[in-house]
Amino acid sequence: MPDSSPIPSSSTGPDLVEAPNRRRWPFVLASLVALAVVAGVVVAATGGDDDSPTAGETVRIGVVGASDPYWATYEQAAEDEGIDVEVVDFADYNQPNPAVSEGELDLNQFQHIVFLADYNIASGDDLQPIGATAIYPLGLHSKQYDAVEEIPDGATVAVPNDASNQARALVLLQSAGLIELKSGGTIFSDLADIDTAASRVEVEALDAALTATSLDDLAGAVVNNDFVERAGLDFDDALAQDDPDDAKALPYANVFAAQADDLDDPTYQRLVEIYQETQAVQEGVVEVSGGTAVMLDTPVDDLRAILAEVEADTRDQQG
């Protein structure tokens, strides 16, 4: 964590109680001038801001998709404010949370609130959101068909295998008329919730990173936003997608997450603001998402309240 402690001021010791004679005045005056110059250099180097990170320290942020151009823009915007940021790339969604918990990362930014809630409950951890970024729609893609209606009965469609994205994907498939869910569709829906007799297609669960790359062998797949362009797909070609503007979509808001002890860290809070306030970053996120991202600045208290609610509902669901 960056050290924001102020630089201690120097004090005059007992050796200076006795007044110097006239011959010593030029030496004393020169010494005071030298001290003032050094102090001025120190203040200039630190910007005189008690909340700024100590020079040489780096805030490490874990993401999935560090090659997206807006991350370089973000690093530069942080550097302009004296904050050294290192964006660390991960290949899948299962690594950045443990890395924050173990202190290998300071923050991460790759997940929505429902995913974070699932992680906290499964691991017994207490990572917390410190700021919102965006909501991304989840889309159904196909290399063989141009419309949902063209997908034949009995065909296989893939969904992500992590609990939170799987539930969201199944609700999307239901809204597209491909399956029916016994529960009507909730954030807890899984493959067992599918009414197979009433559904048009079969559903297979794959790692989120593999849904897109498996499309050659599938009628369709629900693909997370991070993997759409990497697989050579186009956001505009999605056969169906959910609505990120729906008020019910807020649990799927993506967030910066940190250890609970770091919630009030002023440097981390400022990094969230830089993300939300830097126009080039915001425009970059929207561009990379194919124009689908809905940018957010939801109050942190609201994010934490949603997380607490989802965690409580999940515990109740697990009995």
Side-chain angles (χ1 to χ4, degrees):
M1 183 192 312
D3 182 2
S4 58
S5 303
I7 298 173
S9 60
S10 60
S11 59
T12 304
D15 292 342
L16 298 182
V17 170
E18 183 177 303
N21 59 35
R22 289 178 179 272
R23 292 180 184 179
R24 294 171 60 195
W25 271 114
F27 173 78
V28 173
L29 182 59
S31 298
L32 291 173
V33 169
L35 287 171
V37 170
V38 171
V41 170
V42 172
V43 170
T46 61
D49 183 356
D50 289 347
D51 287 339
S52 63
T54 301
E57 293 193 358
T58 300
V59 178
R60 304 184 80 232
I61 304 176
V63 307
V64 176
S67 61
D68 291 338
Y70 66 83
W71 283 119
T73 305
Y74 176 74
E75 286 179 318
Q76 184 59 55
E79 183 179 337
D80 291 345
E81 297 203 17
I83 305 174
D84 184 28
V85 168
E86 178 187 356
V87 174
V88 181
D89 197 25
F90 289 86
D92 64 55
Y93 296 147
N94 297 315
Q95 301 171 357
N97 280 332
V100 171
S101 297
E102 295 166 8
E104 297 172 5
L105 298 174
D106 300 295
L107 306 170
N108 65 44
Q109 199 291 102
F110 75 100
Q111 66 193 322
H112 49 59
I113 296 172
V114 178
F115 189 98
L116 177 57
D118 285 345
Y119 169 78
N120 279 344
I121 291 173
S123 66
D125 212 331
D126 187 30
L127 299 186
Q128 291 287 319
I130 64 168
T133 58
I135 295 180
Y136 301 92
L138 203 58
L140 170 64
H141 291 263
S142 176
K143 287 187 175 180
Q144 302 180 42
Y145 306 104
D146 296 323
V148 170
E149 295 75 21
E150 295 178 9
I151 297 177
D153 293 352
T156 300
V157 174
V159 296
N161 65 359
D162 63 274
S164 59
N165 286 309
Q166 182 173 124
R168 188 181 179 191
L170 292 174
V171 171
L172 170 61
L173 294 183
Q174 178 174 252
S175 68
L178 291 173
I179 64 171
E180 289 291 335
L181 297 171
K182 302 170 189 175
S183 68
T186 72
I187 63 171
F188 307 111
S189 293
D190 57 15
L191 298 187
D193 192 26
I194 299 173
D195 184 341
T196 55
S199 299
R200 284 187 50 213
V201 299
E202 296 182 2
V203 180
E204 177 181 353
L206 298 174
D207 185 280
L210 299 178
T211 56
T213 58
S214 301
L215 275 173
D216 288 337
D217 302 316
L218 299 165
V222 177
V223 181
N224 290 65
N225 190 277
D226 288 319
F227 304 112
V228 171
E229 289 190 328
R230 296 189 205 181
L233 303 174
D234 193 313
F235 292 99
D236 292 336
D237 291 338
L239 307 188
Q241 65 180 30
D242 56 11
D243 182 6
D245 287 314
D246 190 325
K248 295 179 181 178
L250 197 53
Y252 295 106
N254 278 39
V255 296
F256 280 94
Q259 293 186 23
D261 291 342
D262 293 332
L263 297 183
D264 297 323
D265 186 288
T267 298
Y268 298 170
Q269 292 173 342
R270 182 58 193 146
L271 285 171
V272 171
E273 292 170 351
I274 290 171
Y275 188 100
Q276 294 175 343
E277 296 171 0
T278 304
Q279 184 175 356
V281 172
Q282 297 277 290
E283 291 175 350
V285 174
V286 173
E287 181 178 357
V288 166
S289 75
T292 63
V294 175
M295 306 309 295
L296 302 173
D297 58 1
T298 309
V300 176
D301 288 344
D302 291 353
L303 300 176
R304 294 175 190 165
I306 293 169
L307 176 65
E309 181 179 350
V310 173
E311 288 181 349
D313 288 347
T314 302
R315 291 189 181 96
D316 289 344
Q317 180 74 13
Q318 294 176 348

